[in-house]
Amino acid sequence: MSFLIFFIITLFIAGIQTVIPFLVNRAIVFGVMIPEQHIEDDSIKKFKKHYSMIVGLLSIVILTSYIGWTFSNARQDNEVALAGAIIEFALIFISLSFYLYYHGKTKQLKQQNQWVEHLKPMKVTDLSVRKQDEMLPWYVYLLPILSTIGLLIYTVLNYDLLPDQIPTHWGPSGEADAFTVKTPFSSVQLSLFLLIMQLMFLGIHIATKNSGIKLSATALESSRNRQLTLRKSSSWFLYIVLLGATMLMSYFQLTTIHPEIGEGTVKILIPFSFLILVLVGTLIFAIKVGRSDKEIAQSVEAQIMDLDEDKYWKGGIFYFNKNDPSIFVEKRFGVGWTINFANPIGYLIVFLPIVLIILISVLA
Amino acid sequence: MIIRIEGESDIPIYTQITNQIIEGIARGEIARGDSLPSVRAFAADLGVNMHTVNKSYHELEKKGIIKIVPKSGAIISPTEQMSEEKMQQIFTELKPVIAEALVSGMNKKDIRDMVSSILEELKER
């Protein structure tokens, strides 16, 4: 079971890492802004192809060795899991290294060819673009939040039914494998974490909605399509994952109160379906958004370009822009969002809940 | 309506925003009674400081072109009766521009042609 889960996740990471250069915003190459006039440049095409080939090949080597290693001897389940975690990190590290290498090369190419020297930088927006935004409304989050509050109340009412040992962690097969002594607090701890997570997701949703819809002066229609697709799809994806997580954790909480409902195959099936939901969701999301700005033909106005914002992007990965009130902006390398590190509200939404959960688990 | 801001222009960004919104209304791309995006949304979409957009909205309000209603945002005001005062204001703003054009070597016909072509351009939708 461990092998299957780690293999699927790693295969998934490898696949996404390999094709990222073809899924990102068309005007951003390895985290570097390239004016519309030059995105079809041969060297750029070559960089993208080489990156994908190297990362793809190394992924195949790593995954084959993982299969070989696992089945060459009778391995313990926890050994397989540990090795799985190591190869996942190795893969991310490898693709990040090659990303940084090509980030440097692309930057150099842009400078040497003076691609931005004679173009007039422009910023553009459409006053009616907000009306086209189709993100989910915030109040849909009330459904999972109210359900968790219900679960909390139900747990308190059934305090006597709870076992003396409250499970705090579950293994990949859906079996509880870590416990703590029963106290009024530990009995609701899981539901409380779920509630914090839901509030965090709601915060992320609202902050995303308030963040800028960034249009490109040289590719107005395709950038509009990409931004609107990204916003709509990510709001659905976030919500569906939250619903899945709510069901999963509510199920764990209910089996603690009523052990009889957690017997049989459901025990494995529920966590596994959640994993599949997240992976398939990510895949659909990445492809949908990745294609959204590649299909509309552009006619390039000769002498203009988008304002070059490379200076706000450290390494093409971390965004610091004091003037931009956006809390989240579209990632440069990858599909999705990244936080504007110059905006303190972002830290509050993303890091406070995590710190809170860690503090509670350590102190309780 | 599409707003285009030049990044390296001598004209400050808030003035560019103000001018383009006024032109947009003149051209009929935004109708009277329509609302403009909130200051936060507009600034985020353009990736500029909120003060910049705020400054432009206040300038527009001072000119009587928009009305800032707390909570519902900025709404384009309905056509006002042309007041003597407003006419006088536009006169004092236009006069030095025309004088500058004459000093720079344009003749009267050039200036008339230029004004007609601007009027023509603003009529287009």
Side-chain angles (χ1 to χ4, degrees):
Chain A
M1 197 64 195
S2 283
F3 170 73
L4 195 63
I5 289 173
F6 276 99
F7 185 76
I8 293 175
I9 296 176
T10 315
L11 182 68
F12 188 81
I13 296 174
I16 297 259
Q17 291 297 338
T18 305
V19 297
I20 278 185
F22 301 94
L23 292 179
V24 295
N25 189 316
R26 60 207 298 273
I28 308 290
V29 180
F30 294 108
V32 179
M33 182 276 224
I34 301 293
E36 191 74 26
Q37 289 85 343
H38 301 290
I39 49 179
E40 296 291 327
D41 181 85
D42 285 335
S43 309
I44 282 181
K45 283 185 176 165
K46 211 172 67 191
F47 288 171
K48 287 185 181 182
K49 220 169 80 186
H50 286 179
Y51 169 91
S52 291
M53 269 162 43
I54 299 166
V55 174
L57 276 174
L58 286 174
S59 302
I60 293 172
V61 172
I62 289 173
L63 280 166
T64 333
S65 338
Y66 185 49
I67 300 175
W69 177 83
T70 307
F71 293 105
S72 60
N73 258 308
R75 304 285 180 189
Q76 296 274 308
D77 222 32
N78 58 348
E79 281 179 353
V80 174
L82 183 68
I86 291 171
I87 62 163
E88 272 164 24
F89 277 110
L91 230 135
I92 291 169
F93 180 76
I94 288 170
S95 50
L96 188 67
S97 314
F98 281 103
Y99 159 76
L100 285 173
Y101 173 73
Y102 282 110
H103 172 74
K105 287 199 72 143
T106 310
K107 221 162 130 180
Q108 206 180 12
L109 188 75
K110 176 178 169 183
Q111 249 161 30
Q112 274 171 358
N113 292 320
Q114 305 191 327
W115 278 342
V116 295
E117 297 302 297
H118 307 292
L119 297 172
K120 201 161 73 175
M122 299 278 271
K123 274 169 176 285
V124 75
T125 185
D126 182 348
L127 291 185
S128 57
V129 75
R130 290 266 156 190
K131 294 199 184 85
Q132 299 163 346
D133 192 19
E134 290 182 356
M135 286 180 74
L136 287 170
W138 70 270
Y139 52 79
V140 293
Y141 281 84
L142 288 179
L143 175 73
I145 288 173
L146 288 176
S147 125
T148 306
I149 293 173
L151 184 68
L152 251 158
I153 295 170
Y154 185 77
T155 310
V156 172
L157 292 179
N158 289 286
Y159 186 70
D160 293 341
L161 280 179
L162 285 162
D164 295 333
Q165 293 288 308
I166 304 284
T168 54
H169 184 267
W170 287 261
S173 55
E175 197 80 54
D177 56 10
F179 298 86
T180 185
V181 181
K182 174 176 169 181
T183 63
F185 182 77
S186 72
S187 67
V188 293
Q189 192 174 332
L190 185 71
S191 332
L192 216 56
F193 286 167
L194 180 59
L195 198 62
I196 294 174
M197 195 174 94
Q198 289 169 335
L199 293 174
M200 171 182 171
F201 272 44
L202 177 59
I204 291 176
H205 173 84
I206 294 171
T208 311
K209 205 165 198 168
N210 286 333
S211 294
I213 304 179
K214 301 282 165 61
L215 300 181
S216 154
T218 49
L220 196 62
E221 285 319 310
S222 63
S223 64
R224 181 203 306 265
N225 199 32
R226 184 176 176 106
Q227 283 279 289
L228 294 177
T229 310
L230 172 69
R231 292 167 73 90
K232 185 181 173 183
S233 314
S234 66
S235 83
W236 275 95
F237 179 54
L238 199 69
Y239 186 61
I240 290 172
V241 168
L242 184 69
L243 284 187
T246 304
M247 284 186 229
L248 180 70
M249 287 167 83
S250 304
Y251 163 79
F252 284 146
Q253 182 74 357
L254 286 174
T255 50
T256 310
I257 305 172
H258 307 288
E260 64 279 5
I261 58 172
E263 292 308 318
T265 43
V266 256
K267 200 181 256 180
I268 299 178
L269 222 58
I270 289 187
F272 200 66
S273 336
F274 178 67
L275 176 70
I276 299 293
L277 174 84
V278 172
L279 293 184
V280 172
T282 312
L283 198 67
I284 296 174
F285 171 72
I287 293 171
K288 224 174 131 93
V289 177
R291 290 169 57 97
S292 63
D293 61 340
K294 311 289 189 297
E295 284 158 343
I296 303 168
Q298 295 298 328
S299 54
V300 185
E301 280 182 67
Q303 290 310 314
I304 63 165
M305 64 164 188
D306 287 305
L307 195 73
D308 190 342
E309 295 193 317
D310 286 0
K311 63 171 183 285
Y312 301 126
W313 288 87
K314 307 285 169 254
I317 298 175
F318 302 107
Y319 183 66
F320 290 85
N321 185 354
K322 272 206 301 285
N323 280 325
D324 187 351
S326 301
I327 294 168
F328 296 111
V329 287
E330 188 182 4
K331 246 186 211 177
R332 278 201 157 185
F333 196 67
V335 182
W337 300 89
T338 185
I339 170 176
N340 178 3
F341 284 95
N343 193 332
I345 303 168
Y347 290 86
L348 215 65
I349 295 170
V350 177
F351 300 118
L352 184 73
I354 297 171
V355 171
L356 217 59
I357 287 178
I358 293 172
L359 271 183
I360 291 176
S361 1
V362 172
L363 296 179
Chain B
M1 182 208 168
I2 310 289
I3 303 277
R4 289 172 210 273
I5 303 296
E6 277 182 38
E8 284 167 3
S9 168
D10 291 334
I11 308 168
I13 294 179
Y14 75 91
T15 313
Q16 293 189 47
I17 296 174
T18 308
N19 290 347
Q20 290 199 31
I21 290 174
I22 298 175
E23 279 179 34
I25 302 170
R27 215 177 271 134
E29 286 178 13
I30 345 174
R32 296 177 182 278
D34 280 2
S35 57
L36 294 176
S38 71
V39 171
R40 171 182 292 278
F42 200 161
D45 291 350
L46 265 182
V48 300
N49 203 300
M50 293 213 284
H51 296 304
T52 309
V53 176
N54 211 10
K55 213 163 158 183
S56 162
Y57 276 21
H58 278 112
E59 201 174 39
L60 286 164
E61 193 184 33
K62 229 173 88 190
K63 287 178 189 287
I65 291 167
I66 63 170
K67 208 170 149 48
I68 298 173
V69 188
K71 285 208 169 165
S72 31
I75 295 159
I76 316 280
S77 308
T79 333
E80 279 177 61
Q81 280 292 46
M82 194 67 202
S83 64
E84 198 59 33
E85 213 182 320
K86 184 82 193 171
M87 190 95 98
Q88 189 60 42
Q89 181 214 325
I90 289 177
F91 178 82
T92 38
E93 278 172 24
L94 193 57
K95 199 173 170 186
V97 177
I98 292 179
E100 189 184 340
L102 286 170
V103 172
S104 319
M106 282 174 83
N107 62 36
K108 284 180 184 167
K109 189 183 171 301
D110 292 338
I111 295 171
R112 280 201 197 95
D113 287 351
M114 192 180 260
V115 172
S116 334
S117 84
I118 291 172
L119 286 173
E120 205 52 45
E121 189 209 307
L122 289 179
K123 231 174 29 192
E124 283 168 22
R125 278 190 172 232

